[in-house]
Amino acid sequence: MSRPDRQHSVWGRVPRPAYGADYNPEQWDAATRKDDVRLMREAGVNLVSLGVFAWSWIEPRRDAFDFSGLDEAVELLHASGIAVDLATPTAAPPLWFSHAHPESLPVTADGRRLAPGSRQAYCPSSPLYRERAATVTRRLAERYGDHPAVVMWHVNNEYANGNAHCWCETSATAFRTLLRTTYGDDLDALNHRWGTGVWGMTYSDWSQVTPPRTSTSRLPPALWLDFYRFSDAEHLACFRAERDIVRAHSPGRPVTTNFMASALRWSDYWRWAREVDIVSNDHYLGSEDPHRAAELAFAADLTRGLAGGRPWLLMEHSTSGVQWQPRNIAKVPGEMARNTLTHLARGADGALFFQWRQSAYGPEKWHSAMLPHGGEDTRVLREARDLGNAVSRLADVAGSTCPPATIALLLDYEAMWALELPDRPSSDLTCGDALRTWHRALWTAGLGCDIVAAPAPALDPASAPASGAHRLLLVPSLYALSAATARALEAYAESGGHLVVGPFSGVVDPDDRVHPGPYPGALRDLVGLTVDEYLPLAAGAAVGLDDGSTGNVWAERVVPDAGTEVECRFTDGPAAGGPAVLRRGNVRYLATRPDVPSLLRLLPRWAAQAGCAPAPRGSGDGVEVIRRSGPSGERSWLFAVNHTPSTAHVAATGTDLLSGARTTGVIAVPAGEVAVVEEGGTGPR
Ligand code: GAL
């Protein structure tokens, strides 16, 4: 039987499941590099990201390219059968460049130009930077574009991490150019949309328009939002330019850039996802996060959503401690494997670490790696070898997908930017918290979900709206939205979809201007109510609901329209006696933020009412059960991930690919371990 999507796959010759790490041979001598590939092979490494920050290694002085080190590394890896995900090194401009062109360095909002000396030291709008980035990319692509070891390309590294925005003069000029296009060269239109009449800050000439630099007091929120859009577009333009150079010289090899989907908020990854051949993500768990297992599931679900449900790649995670976290807490034995297999369960076709060999010097020497300082006989390397072996047994799973869930959770980056600007009614009301809380409740209740973009107003084939498969669309937080997107949500509900809208949604348009009429302007007809007053709660305060639920952060004084049912009321707090959960047909509105225990009662009930088939992808008892299947469902694999300290019993029939054991009816998954059961069949294979 063939693997699910082998033919014509965008993955080309990328080994799947991919297993490996960032590899930084420039930090090591020749003997060590030889040892590296030997140990990589023993550990089952089949793919490394090479050269991520190696610009000064390959171009030590302007135009003086020296590929000898990289050539040697590529050949060494190739001879050992390890494929290369070759990086353009443009996240780390060399010092010769930054010192020759200080105007390429980023400037902060208060006008400080940052000094060279670390990575990400560039302004994405700098033509000088872009020109040199294009040159080094071209030289790399020409040299290695058809090298058999190079199976994919890794452009830059985590765009907008560390230099998300730049306030320099070059940025100001580029910002103005973009605005002149956006506003049809009409300064009055810009003044109107930004509401500059407030405090008499009306522009009378385009030259007065600058990025939102530190000033005496607040600036127009719409200026911030356009600036965020601008910054994101500039980074994306940098990516596109390099990608197109690579594509021209290296046809048939997928090009990616590593996202930080659950950690960074400055990239509208729905847009970025359309630009990459393979969605790849970096994920660093907070070692002290009490909800680590749920957080893993959130990151993986989000990345799968960005990938439109197709397989994706975990480009980086850690084998153990992470040096930039406050405490470098080690993963417990088995945790690295469990985390890796959780990502695979949720649609990844491979997992790589940062990094292969733990640095002996520099800022990241206390970051874990596959090969620790201690060398060959260390717990982490032993586990990495076992994991390599386990991953290699999942070859048939590659290319399969997680069937669409019946529940979708909506994430809109621009609405998040708008809600998290200063001068909102409550700094506790963040979008990220709401999404994670709802996702965690679903995960705990054992309800799988997909994370989706807001439905596109026009038919935008590239966005990933809730599809027909999604019977229940959850919208925990959507402060800003256009009237057109609101209509798209209406269309979803009219077509029979069930919708749950969280508080303080539909309030402003994409310029942060309050929609006309009573709240929630853009969604008023859809939810069938008006909000008389928004009532933020004091820090740590909670409100009771008459079904026993608890809300926090927020309450609203709501007046239902005729025909809108009040499902439950506040028992105390500033809106005591008033509606807290309302329902109009298949649309619900919440006037507070229910806590997780409350959502745990509410969400399963609403899911059942929406006719969502139980498709477990998480479990309150700490045992996740997730299915991946081939295109026509002829083959399927059940991942059972046991996050608990005791053996779990999971219904499954088939062969556990990791242990080789045949199971009929129920499989016992030991504490902290994972089983991957190829379902079906009648006897041992
Ligand atoms: C990532 C980055 C890597 C490495 C890692 C350490 O954000 O891409 O280069 O620095 O963090 O956790």
Side-chain angles (χ1 to χ4, degrees):
M1 254 184 292
S2 68
R3 287 189 203 148
D5 76 342
R6 286 286 133 158
Q7 277 127 18
H8 314 299
S9 165
V10 70
W11 291 70
R13 290 186 302 106
V14 178
R16 288 194 280 167
Y19 183 63
D22 274 24
Y23 181 39
N24 298 298
E26 65 275 25
Q27 295 180 14
W28 303 103
D29 61 23
T32 310
R33 296 198 292 263
K34 262 196 156 149
D35 242 24
D36 279 332
V37 286
R38 175 181 61 84
L39 293 168
M40 282 180 193
R41 281 182 59 91
E42 284 175 24
V45 166
N46 58 16
L47 182 71
V48 294
S49 294
L50 189 65
V52 177
F53 300 109
W55 195 339
S56 73
W57 196 42
I58 59 179
E59 193 185 3
R61 290 182 316 285
R62 187 185 173 98
D63 289 327
F65 287 93
D66 174 4
F67 290 106
S68 54
L70 191 55
D71 281 354
E72 188 217 89
V74 170
E75 294 308 332
L76 198 59
L77 290 159
H78 185 46
S80 303
I82 297 165
V84 172
D85 167 33
L86 190 58
T88 67
T90 51
L95 290 179
W96 59 256
F97 169 75
S98 305
H99 281 279
H101 302 292
E103 65 275 38
S104 69
L105 290 161
V107 169
T108 59
D110 58 1
R112 259 184 319 119
R113 192 174 291 284
L114 296 178
S118 194
R119 61 194 208 183
Q120 278 106 17
Y122 65 91
C123 159
S125 304
S126 162
L128 292 160
Y129 165 77
R130 289 190 185 190
E131 192 264 317
R132 291 314 304 179
T135 302
V136 70
T137 299
R138 187 168 304 106
R139 293 297 298 265
L140 271 174
E142 282 167 0
R143 190 172 188 89
Y144 301 103
D146 61 2
H147 194 290
V150 176
V151 296
M152 71 183 284
W153 288 86
H154 176 302
V155 169
N156 199 282
N157 191 68
E158 295 175 347
Y159 279 101
N161 185 8
N163 65 342
H165 313 292
C166 177
W167 284 261
C168 73
E169 266 316 305
T170 305
S171 300
T173 306
F175 184 42
R176 238 173 260 128
T177 304
L178 179 78
L179 294 172
R180 291 183 91 130
T181 307
T182 307
Y183 293 98
D185 219 7
D186 181 349
L187 198 53
D188 290 343
L190 177 142
N191 276 315
H192 173 71
R193 296 260 301 269
W194 285 10
T196 54
V198 173
W199 297 346
M201 292 299 125
T202 308
Y203 299 103
S204 55
D205 190 278
W206 281 100
S207 63
Q208 298 154 4
V209 181
T210 67
R213 293 180 172 141
T214 307
S215 188
T216 43
S217 187
R218 309 295 206 207
L219 300 165
L223 159 58
W224 279 105
L225 293 174
D226 270 343
F227 183 60
Y228 293 159
R229 293 180 187 115
F230 159 76
S231 298
D232 192 25
E234 293 295 270
H235 286 290
L236 191 53
C238 290
F239 168 74
R240 280 196 190 121
E242 291 186 34
R243 177 202 61 194
D244 292 349
I245 292 168
V246 167
R247 278 186 180 161
H249 295 279
S250 196
R253 270 104 167 155
V255 184
T256 190
T257 182
N258 43 345
F259 297 172
M260 289 198 90
S262 61
L264 271 190
R265 56 205 210 107
W266 297 123
S267 304
D268 182 341
Y269 284 124
W270 296 116
R271 266 181 220 141
W272 283 76
R274 305 173 203 158
E275 305 282 345
V276 295
D277 296 322
I278 293 172
V279 166
S280 68
N281 192 44
D282 295 354
H283 185 244
Y284 289 93
L285 261 185
S287 59
E288 295 172 84
D289 180 346
H291 306 296
R292 285 199 299 285
E295 179 65 25
L296 269 171
F298 176 73
D301 284 352
L302 174 53
T303 314
R304 189 183 65 254
L306 293 167
R310 288 177 287 279
W312 52 277
L313 182 63
L314 182 66
M315 188 62 90
E316 290 178 23
H317 69 150
S318 73
T319 58
S320 191
V322 173
Q323 109 286 351
W324 48 260
Q325 295 184 4
R327 279 160 291 275
N328 211 344
I329 293 173
K331 289 189 176 163
V332 299
E335 192 176 350
M336 169 179 78
R338 197 168 63 248
N339 293 356
T340 303
L341 293 167
T342 301
H343 285 289
L344 262 64
R346 290 175 190 268
D349 262 4
L352 280 64
F353 294 98
F354 175 84
Q355 59 180 330
W356 161 250
R357 184 185 278 273
Q358 187 171 12
S359 299
Y361 48 89
E364 297 188 309
K365 62 180 166 299
W366 297 118
H367 194 290
S368 59
M370 292 179 84
L371 175 59
H373 290 149
E376 294 190 38
D377 193 19
T378 46
R379 176 191 70 83
V380 170
L381 184 60
R382 281 193 297 276
E383 287 198 23
R385 283 193 194 111
D386 291 348
L387 178 57
N389 186 283
V391 168
S392 71
R393 292 165 182 258
L394 305 183
D396 284 359
V397 181
S400 67
T401 54
C402 298
T406 48
I407 302 175
L409 193 62
L410 188 147
L411 162 61
D412 187 85
Y413 287 95
E414 291 205 3
M416 173 162 69
W417 296 342
L419 183 63
E420 296 177 13
L421 281 169
D423 304 310
R424 312 288 101 166
S426 170
S427 56
D428 298 331
L429 197 74
T430 70
C431 195
D433 281 352
L435 274 165
R436 279 186 166 78
T437 306
W438 289 49
H439 186 275
R440 182 148 53 86
L442 291 169
W443 182 87
T444 309
L447 293 166
C449 75
D450 295 330
I451 299 181
V452 298
L459 282 179
D460 178 354
S463 73
S467 74
H470 296 132
R471 301 286 313 135
L472 175 62
L473 176 59
L474 303 173
V475 186
S477 173
L478 193 59
Y479 165 65
L481 85 162
S482 64
T485 302
R487 278 198 297 279
L489 285 171
E490 277 165 24
Y492 171 79
E494 273 159 22
S495 70
H498 288 242
L499 195 61
V500 181
V501 180
F504 206 48
S505 293
V507 185
V508 296
D509 71 10
D511 296 321
D512 198 42
R513 177 179 292 254
V514 176
H515 282 293
Y519 312 130
L523 294 176
R524 202 173 47 240
D525 294 343
L526 175 62
V527 295
L529 54 89
T530 60
V531 177
D532 180 26
E533 214 177 346
Y534 291 125
L535 303 163
L537 304 181
V543 284
L545 275 57
D546 63 10
D547 68 344
S549 299
T550 301
N552 48 40
V553 175
W554 192 260
E556 299 178 357
R557 195 182 321 284
V558 173
V559 182
D561 289 355
T564 298
E565 194 187 325
V566 177
E567 288 197 320
C568 102
R569 291 181 179 274
F570 290 107
T571 53
D572 54 19
V581 179
L582 302 97
R583 177 180 184 177
R584 181 175 162 269
N586 44 359
V587 179
R588 281 193 170 82
Y589 182 82
L590 310 185
T592 185
R593 283 201 164 174
D595 62 9
V596 170
S598 308
L599 286 168
L600 259 171
R601 278 199 314 277
L602 297 168
L603 292 174
R605 196 185 310 150
W606 298 338
Q609 284 171 5
C612 296
R617 274 193 212 145
S619 173
D621 58 10
V623 183
E624 295 181 68
V625 180
I626 306 143
R627 185 169 279 120
R628 286 181 67 157
S629 60
S632 46
E634 78 293 355
R635 292 179 86 181
S636 62
W637 296 267
L638 194 89
F639 287 69
V641 186
N642 184 358
H643 295 281
T644 75
S646 36
T647 300
H649 294 92
V650 173
T653 293
T655 303
D656 180 2
L657 299 180
L658 301 182
S659 69
R662 173 85 207 152
T663 173
T664 312
V666 171
I667 186 167
V669 188
E673 294 195 13
V674 181
V676 183
V677 177
E678 168 145 23
E679 297 180 291
T682 49
R685 288 150 59 99

